[in-house]
Amino acid sequence: MPVSTQGPGDALRTETPAQLMEGIRREATARLLPLLGETLRSERARLQRACDDATQDSPARDADAEDLTSLTVLAAELIQHEHRWQRALGEVFAAWPEPPASHARSAFSLLSDDELQAQLIGQPVAEALDRRFESVRDIIDRRLHTLAGRLQYRGRPSNPLAARFLVESFLRAFEAGDCGRRLRASLLRRHEALLDAELGGVYAWCNTRLAEAGCALAGDSDHASLIAGLGGSTDTLPANKTRIWEQGNAVAQAGAGASPAARADAPRGNLLRRHARRQRDARRAELDAAERSFRRDEFLSTLALLQSERSLPPGDTHAIRLREGLYAVAGGLGIDRHTVAFDGEQDEALILIGALFDLIAARHQLTPAARERLALLSVAWLHLALEDAHLFEPSSPPAMQLLSALVELWDGVDPDDPQSVEQQALADRVADAVLDGAQGDSRIFPAQLAQIDGALAANRRRAEAVERRTWQALRGRERLDAARRQARIELARRLDGRPLLPSVAGFLDVEWRQALAQSWLRDGDDSDRYREVLSLGDALVESDGLAANDGGSAVADRLLGILPALRDCCAQCGNDANATEARLAGLVAEHASPTPRQVHLPTPPSDDDTPLLPDDADPQAGLADTTFAEGQRFVQPDGAGAGRTLRIAWRSSLSGACLLVNATGAREFLLMPAELHAMIEAGQLQARPGGGAVSQALATLAAQASAA
């Protein structure tokens, strides 16, 4: 496989302005496109919590439920909305250096309702984002001015990555016809927060890309204010002001053999590389014994051949297997392993990728075939570690997202489940596509991510529909259990070993308890209706006490006062008019005539009233445990080394109970957090932390590096 001997900076300088802008468009799309799906997921989780917490008949709950339904439709058509977003952003890049046509309208043009609404909600968001990133965006604007000058463009060019274009592209992806104005504005607010976290890295990368392509700042007369705007000091400006953006300042101009490592905007990558450097220094004697280091083009050629061979020597760690594989390929090219060693950048990348893949393999239940494919993928990711300074950052580039997706598909494969086997085959195909792809082609990662999403979309929709019906039924049953439990508690407080008239005790045990449970369900325990039913029970007990002490007219007055409430209580329980009058007549008759009183024992729950969770389950303890969250994955292993994947589809807002479903969305377990902890400690379930396999592994490596 031919390998260019040009340095990255030399290669970039040969690009035409159109090629450079197309490269920026592709990379920006790969970094920003996943935010659309994340926006939908975040807003959906918020609406779901709001619906769970709202009372049954509140207007806010109805509006949230309507928005949640719209979100479900939007999520099902996510690929279509992503295409709209890419088309909108592509139009901005295609028009460059001119602004896109929609922004070049006459001042006297009329706006449609959709455009007016988009402008009203989008302009404040765009202006806020522009203010936050004003300094670095201004630098990019000035570099684009230089680039536009090469095209003989005399005006001030647009910045295709300006916040206003990104916001408009988002609004064009989710048009007013797709969702209501309220939901559209909420989605934009959610997207603004995600852009706020991502744009810094995108702008820094774009700035570096333009600098490496030789795009100087237009008008260096204000270089001091630019340095100050970036938080730097103007006291250390070099005498030759045309070199202020070279090595050591905001942007490095790369020459032949330049390394992307140690970027100011890649803090976690720098931390991990420093830690790898310390490990490398421990083997200094071994490295110094070599006569020379691998040249960059020599190393990349060897790496490309190793990837094409699809074979790695055995070894205890991925780093060892990579080293031995590279030396074996180099030996076939006539390079003696005893005379050549890996240079600092190459060795650091080997250490980092080896440690990352070791952690991933150790933390997941993979079949031998999947483990070997994972090891082969480490070759491709070793190349990425050399080329992409932001590979290890929390922003999670598409390559890392793809690696996480592959590991999740391979993790806990159940050979008896056709869907699980199908997912494993999908992961195998995607891994093969990456290994067959050309090194350095970053387009393959978002493309394969889209392949996975497209292949799993139908199964995910079916599973979500099944699990939604399951947890909605469970939530309704749990609310009913909670209402009945609270009614039993209130009934026990009023009976409490107290001798009562049979009619009073019977009314409290049947009609009053049922009315109290219904008020809890419909209006909540802080509502006026619920408090009125509680007061009715207290008044009935008090009237019984007055009758026992020969209260005379006071008993009659009290009964007359609560008679309408008693009648409403009977009607709420479904008694017809005749049954209600007969019930109340018996109640009045027992108050008026001497009737023996006795202690009443509450009626025990029938088989139909058996609670979903045991009465001794502690809701406060369940809610206080925040270890588990919706969406968290688990693997249930079996004795043969296989397993199956489970997921928390719902967590109760009343008790903290967790519903675990399988890949098809069917219910497997309904457990309190304490029971779930016990199963994990017993090895019956293996918890997979949220955030993805790669994110958690990198967080662990960063913590180890910080501790060292």
Side-chain angles (χ1 to χ4, degrees), residues 351-417:
I351 292 171
L352 277 179
I353 293 299
L356 173 64
F357 277 71
D358 285 346
L359 263 182
I360 292 174
R363 288 180 169 180
H364 295 83
Q365 188 160 343
L366 309 178
T367 64
R371 287 184 181 277
E372 189 58 28
R373 267 197 172 84
L374 181 67
L376 293 175
L377 287 177
S378 67
V379 179
W381 264 257
L382 177 57
H383 182 272
L384 289 172
L386 292 169
E387 296 295 324
D388 187 357
H390 301 91
L391 185 66
F392 304 109
E393 297 310 303
S395 56
S396 189
M400 291 308 205
Q401 296 177 38
L402 179 63
L403 184 57
S404 280
L406 288 173
V407 172
E408 288 187 5
L409 291 174
W410 278 325
D411 187 23
V413 172
D414 184 359
D416 297 326
D417 180 5

Side-chain angles (χ1 to χ4, degrees), residues 657-668:
C658 302
L659 170 66
L660 272 68
V661 300
N662 58 25
T664 63
R667 170 181 172 177
E668 293 290 339

Side-chain angles (χ1 to χ4, degrees), residues 441-476:
D441 185 3
S442 61
R443 295 172 298 178
I444 192 169
F445 302 109
Q448 293 304 316
L449 270 174
Q451 288 285 339
I452 292 176
D453 288 340
L456 299 181
N459 288 337
R460 284 174 178 164
R461 286 196 296 270
R462 286 194 294 269
E464 287 175 358
V466 172
E467 68 188 41
R468 188 185 307 112
R469 289 194 295 269
T470 303
W471 66 252
Q472 285 176 343
L474 289 174
R475 183 180 64 182

